[in-house]
Amino acid sequence: MNILLLEDDELFASSLIDFLDDEGFEVNHSTHIEKFLDMTYCKYYDLYLLDINIPDGSGLDMLKDLRDSNDNTPAIFLTSYKDKETLKDGFKNGADDFITKPIDLDELMYRIDAILKRVGKQTSLIKIEDLVYNPMTKEIFKDNIALKLPIKVLELFELLYANRSKVVSKEQIIDKLWGIDEQYSEGSIRVYINKIKQLLNQNSVENIKGVGYKLNIQ
């Protein structure tokens, strides 16, 4: 899963990135708000980790701007602030959680896992009959044999599984699989859908004409 980190302390950020990388996350990092916002437009992220005091502004104000623009990506503040007024402002501006510095890394993982599960993101193994998928490492096995599949097929599988029995729109798929500057095609989506059908069965993914797709499994 993709995490975007806003943190101007380079040493702390480096340690955090190394830890999250070992846990199977892909982490992008910015030390400035303006660059952070640019990055949110260029790629889909599953989670934001935010500092409050940044050289070019406030992480609190930035999150409010993101929420006002309908960006609902889960966000955790990593901060040395402990006062109730800051906590109040953070939650009011759209924060999902706060963790006080110095960070306990195990606690951070518990909170990340809880938030992602709450919003339908999968961090534990996905098991469907003889298929096992690890979303943290992007590894998939069928009958205990490792399969080599394009990353976009796996990301689409994750998206459909997280919203199983619900219709996933083509717009959601495009946002998940392609950055703002990347080209996509309807043909590519159909190819990826067919790959997923081959993994499961031909009736596993339903095409809702003109709308999107639905994964019909429990």
Side-chain angles (χ1 to χ4, degrees), residues 4-7 30-33 36 49-51 54 59 62:
L4 184 54
L5 170 65
L6 177 67
E7 175 58 63
S30 174
T31 58
H32 290 80
I33 287 174
F36 183 97
L49 296 179
L50 309 174
D51 194 7
I54 301 298
M62 184 199 71

Side-chain angles (χ1 to χ4, degrees), residues 78-166:
L78 313 177
T79 178
S80 56
Y81 283 93
K82 299 179 181 179
D83 61 285
K84 290 183 179 180
E85 195 63 32
T86 300
L87 291 173
K88 175 184 174 183
D89 289 343
F91 286 118
K92 183 178 177 182
N93 288 1
D96 293 272
D97 205 349
F98 272 81
I99 302 181
T100 304
K101 295 178 180 178
I103 303 298
D104 182 297
L105 295 177
D106 289 333
E107 179 186 354
L108 175 62
M109 272 308 305
Y110 299 150
R111 291 174 182 265
I112 288 175
D113 190 51
I115 286 175
L116 293 179
K117 285 180 178 178
R118 189 163 68 239
V119 298
K121 308 286 185 180
Q122 185 75 26
T123 59
S124 56
L125 294 179
I126 296 172
K127 298 179 181 180
I128 305 172
E129 297 181 354
D130 58 355
L131 188 75
V132 178
Y133 176 59
N134 187 335
M136 302 289 284
T137 61
K138 306 293 184 185
E139 295 175 304
I140 192 164
F141 300 84
K142 192 174 182 68
D143 293 323
N144 294 320
I145 298 173
L147 305 178
K148 299 295 184 182
L149 292 173
I151 189 65
K152 281 185 167 54
V153 172
L154 300 178
E155 290 179 344
L156 178 55
F157 173 70
E158 285 181 24
L159 179 64
L160 292 172
Y161 185 84
N163 296 278
R164 52 196 180 280
S165 300
K166 300 177 183 177

Side-chain angles (χ1 to χ4, degrees), residues 168-185:
V168 176
S169 70
K170 291 182 180 178
E171 289 76 16
Q172 288 176 280
I173 294 173
I174 292 166
D175 287 344
K176 172 74 173 179
L177 270 59
W178 287 277
I180 194 169
D181 296 324
E182 290 185 282
Q183 295 295 319
Y184 73 91
S185 70

Side-chain angles (χ1 to χ4, degrees), residues 2 10 35 74 95 112 117 131 188 195 208 214:
N2 297 307
E10 296 276 9
K35 180 185 175 184
I112 288 175
K117 285 180 178 178
L131 188 75
S188 296
K195 289 283 187 183
I208 311 299
K214 181 169 68 171

Side-chain angles (χ1 to χ4, degrees), residues 197-215:
K197 287 182 176 181
Q198 291 169 15
L199 277 177
L200 303 173
N201 61 68
Q202 289 301 312
N203 298 318
S204 59
V205 184
E206 182 181 354
N207 181 3
I208 311 299
K209 191 172 182 180
V211 180
Y213 299 90
K214 181 169 68 171
L215 185 64

